[in-house]
Structures are given as C-alpha cells and as structure tokens.
Amino acid sequence: MKTALFTFDMPLELIANKPAEPRDTARLLHLSPDGTLSDHHVFDLPDLLRPSDVLIFNDTKVIPARLYGKRGEAHIEVTLFKQLSLSRWETLIKNARRLKSGDIITFTDDFYATVHTKQENGAVVLEFNKSGADLMNTLHQVGTMPLPPYIKRERGGKESDKADYQTIYAKHEGSVAAPTAGLHFTPEVFKKLDEKGIKRLFLTLHVGGGTFLPVKAEDTDQHKMHAEFGVLTPQLAEEINRYKKEGRRIITVGTTSLRLLESATDEQGIVHPFEGETSIFITPGYRFKIVDVMFTNFHLSGSTLFMLVSAFAGLETMKRAYTHAIENKYRFFSYGDACLLEKKSDFSL
C-alpha cells in the first residue's frame, strides 16, 4: 500500500508536552464495533469493559538512554537505540556526519565511548568503556529520559519526566522509549479493574528507538521494520490460551503488547512461549490471530503505529476517529490521550 494513504494533518498545538494530571484524567475515545465514537476519560475504562476481559500489559522499563557528551570541544547528544552487546550500542547522534571511527565521546571523567562504525541508516555504533550492570548503573547516574523529539525540553530534560515517562508497573529494564499507552494507568484504575474481575497479565517487549523513525519508503512493502526483543513466558502463553478458549476477549494495552502477542501466536490462534526479536510489521490486510480489542494512544501521521491501528479497525474508520479527535482537541502522541478500539469482525479498507 502507498504510505501516503496513512498521512493526515494535525495542528501542532495538539502535541502533548506533559501528561494529564492525574494520569487517568486523560481523555479516552471509544470506538465501538458498529463504528460509533464516544468521548470518555481513562478512569471510565473499567466501565467500558466486560468482567470477563483480559488486559495484556507490557512491563518493560525505560532506561535513561539519552547522554550529553563532548568530542573535543564539540557538544554531542547521544540517544541509545539498540543494544548489540554488553558494552556496544547502536545509537542516534545529532550531527553525526563529522564523526569517524575511533573518535572518543566523553560523558564524564571516567565514562566515555568510542565510535565503532557508522551505518547506512545514519545510526552510529558506540563501544562504551563500561559494560553490563556497570554501564546500566552509570546510565542511571548521568543519563536522562529519552523523550521523543516532538516533546520539547531544555538540555537535560525535566526531573518530573523520570516518573512521567515510566509506567507504574515497569519492571524489566531495556526500553529506550516508553510503551506509552500504559502511561495512563493509575493504582485507582487498577483497583477498579480488579473489583470488576478483569484480569491483568504482563509480557515484556523492550521498545527500541526505531519506533520514532519515519517511514521513508513510498510503499509499505518496501519498508524494513525495526526489530525489538521480547519475552512471553510459557506460563503466560498457557493463561492466555485458557482465557481465549473460555471465550474471553484479549485486550492489548499498546501497540507493543499487540506486536509481541501476535508474533507469538500461530495461524490457529494458539499462543506459544516467545523469547527473541520480532520485526512484525502490521498493515491493512493483516489477519489478527489473538487480539480482540486494543487500548492505544494517538499516533504520528504516516507512522507504522498508525498503519497498525488502521489494520486493526480499518483505515477509513481510523481517519474518521482521528478527525473527531482533532476537532475535539484531543491531545496527541506519547503524553497525549488514548483510544479504545473494538474492531468489527470484518470491514473494508
């Protein structure tokens, strides 16, 4: 499909630069199976769900993946993109054209990285002088949260982003971007979900920096999707299969949960344990094997995430939903509002 089909115009003032306070007061657009749109708030979510529903969350934890250093007298901003080994990372570096292999980027007196290679896609592979747990501890000391480029911050970011850009249930470190649909959940919402009997399950997909990369190909068939590491345990696979067999709806919180769950599911709709990388790219025409409903944010024009939700609910339906959101001044992107998508059994693109 032509990637131009997935573009839309949105006023820049609708980009959220901070989350709603409290988080669950964010607005929630509900798309019912018959295509009806209705306006709610995230704290209404338990009332919109069934007692038999099963929610699948991504419990990855964002690391402080943005670093500020110097090469000689030049200031360098580095964002970790993908871990390649205990000490080596693929990174995105502003104004990387002047860097060459062997260059040293210094962050503190005892923390630096060497430029290993420069890649065709513009990424730079860095070899750090620390590795494993030592590197991770250092990142927590000197790194900042890797907010996406559309959230404007002064150099070094805001202290509040350390909590704001992390879900309340974050557990396993490894992401360089937040699974943003999960940012809306609060202990109060969890309590209401529990009281209604709605199950909460957790898988792990470490979100990579590729989630922010634009789709440059003119056709979706020509786009190469970034790979991300995920884990879906045997126990979780068994639980999901049991609940699905009981006729319960499987609801993913965010596109990351959906991508891993669909990657772990075979053509017969059976979920299998999974540990490894997935580069699944979901566009209209994809047949969803396990997911019935999804809770997600409002995504960038032309992005792989907007393609995914269009595959889930129909391109024209999602364009109508986004038009409604824009006209009603919903807030967009990572710190923005959310939507609950209940897809029809069939629809035209």
Side-chain angles (χ1 to χ4, degrees):
M1 299 182 71
K2 296 296 183 182
T3 54
L5 292 172
F6 302 94
T7 60
F8 55 87
D9 294 323
M10 186 206 70
L12 295 179
E13 61 265 25
L14 296 184
I15 298 175
N17 270 298
K18 60 181 180 179
E21 181 60 42
R23 296 183 184 203
D24 58 14
T25 59
R27 297 172 73 188
L28 176 64
L29 180 61
H30 179 211
L31 172 66
S32 66
D34 65 3
T36 301
L37 297 172
S38 56
D39 301 304
H40 305 270
H41 291 87
V42 172
F43 55 68
D44 297 317
L45 180 64
D47 298 324
L48 297 172
L49 301 182
R50 305 170 186 172
S52 60
D53 285 339
V54 180
L55 286 173
I56 312 290
F57 296 83
N58 181 7
D59 65 4
T60 187
K61 192 171 186 178
V62 183
I63 63 174
R66 184 157 294 149
L67 297 166
Y68 296 94
K70 297 181 74 174
R71 178 183 63 87
E73 295 302 313
H75 290 278
I76 303 288
E77 179 182 316
V78 175
T79 301
L80 304 187
F81 184 83
K82 181 180 179 182
Q83 186 171 16
L84 303 178
S85 71
L86 291 176
S87 60
R88 188 174 297 175
W89 278 79
E90 188 175 313
T91 70
L92 295 178
I93 300 179
K94 287 187 176 181
N95 301 319
R97 288 176 299 173
R98 297 181 180 180
L99 291 175
K100 59 183 184 296
S101 295
D103 281 353
I104 303 295
I105 301 174
T106 302
F107 305 105
T108 67
D109 290 341
D110 65 346
F111 181 41
Y112 61 87
T114 304
V115 175
H116 183 268
T117 51
K118 297 175 68 175
Q119 301 182 335
E120 291 184 3
N121 63 1
V124 178
V125 176
L126 295 183
E127 182 80 38
F128 289 91
N129 69 319
K130 299 175 185 286
S131 66
D134 190 21
L135 174 58
M136 199 60 61
N137 289 336
T138 303
L139 290 177
H140 280 286
Q141 293 169 17
V142 304
T144 63
M145 295 303 273
L147 297 181
Y150 48 75
I151 295 179
K152 302 305 179 184
R153 291 289 185 270
E154 296 294 332
R155 180 184 174 95
K158 293 172 61 176
E159 184 67 23
S160 59
D161 287 318
K162 292 181 179 179
D164 289 343
Y165 200 60
Q166 199 81 268
T167 64
I168 62 169
Y169 49 83
K171 185 176 182 180
H172 301 289
E173 286 192 328
S175 280
V176 298
T180 54
L183 297 178
H184 298 290
F185 287 82
T186 61
E188 290 75 20
V189 171
F190 274 1
K191 182 180 178 182
K192 290 180 181 178
L193 291 170
D194 293 343
E195 289 172 348
K196 194 166 183 177
I198 296 168
K199 295 291 183 182
R200 291 187 283 120
L201 303 178
F202 298 88
L203 49 71
T204 305
L205 182 73
H206 294 315
V207 189
T211 191
F212 300 131
L213 294 180
V215 178
K216 296 182 178 178
E218 293 184 0
D219 194 285
T220 56
D221 289 341
Q222 300 166 350
H223 177 68
K224 183 179 180 181
M225 192 69 175
H226 59 282
E228 295 169 320
F229 183 83
V231 178
L232 193 156
T233 65
Q235 179 183 348
L236 178 58
E238 182 181 338
E239 283 188 90
I240 297 173
N241 287 327
R242 184 173 73 252
Y243 291 139
K244 189 71 171 181
K245 191 173 182 180
E246 292 173 357
R248 302 189 184 204
R249 296 192 304 177
I250 303 300
I251 303 174
T252 52
V253 175
T255 57
T256 58
S257 298
L258 184 146
R259 291 178 65 244
L260 180 56
L261 190 52
E262 287 289 320
S263 298
T265 305
D266 64 25
E267 293 300 323
Q268 286 69 49
I270 305 300
V271 181
H272 299 272
F274 186 101
E275 183 170 357
E277 288 192 334
T278 176
S279 56
I280 187 172
F281 182 25
I282 296 176
T283 58
Y286 178 86
R287 186 180 70 84
F288 289 85
K289 298 171 288 188
I290 187 71
V291 180
D292 301 300
V293 180
M294 71 178 303
F295 176 98
T296 187
N297 279 26
F298 289 95
H299 304 296
L300 278 74
S301 171
S303 65
T304 60
L305 303 182
F306 185 67
M307 294 175 189
L308 187 156
V309 296
S310 297
F312 191 81
L315 176 56
E316 293 308 315
T317 298
M318 289 312 304
K319 284 195 170 184
R320 179 167 59 87
Y322 273 49
T323 297
H324 175 93
I326 291 168
E327 290 175 348
N328 288 274
K329 300 190 183 305
Y330 274 69
R331 299 161 73 245
F332 274 63
F333 308 159
S334 294
Y335 277 159
D337 296 318
C339 51
L340 180 68
L341 306 178
E342 298 189 63
K343 62 181 173 64
K344 304 181 201 177
S345 57
D346 60 350
F347 51 76
S348 59
L349 300 178

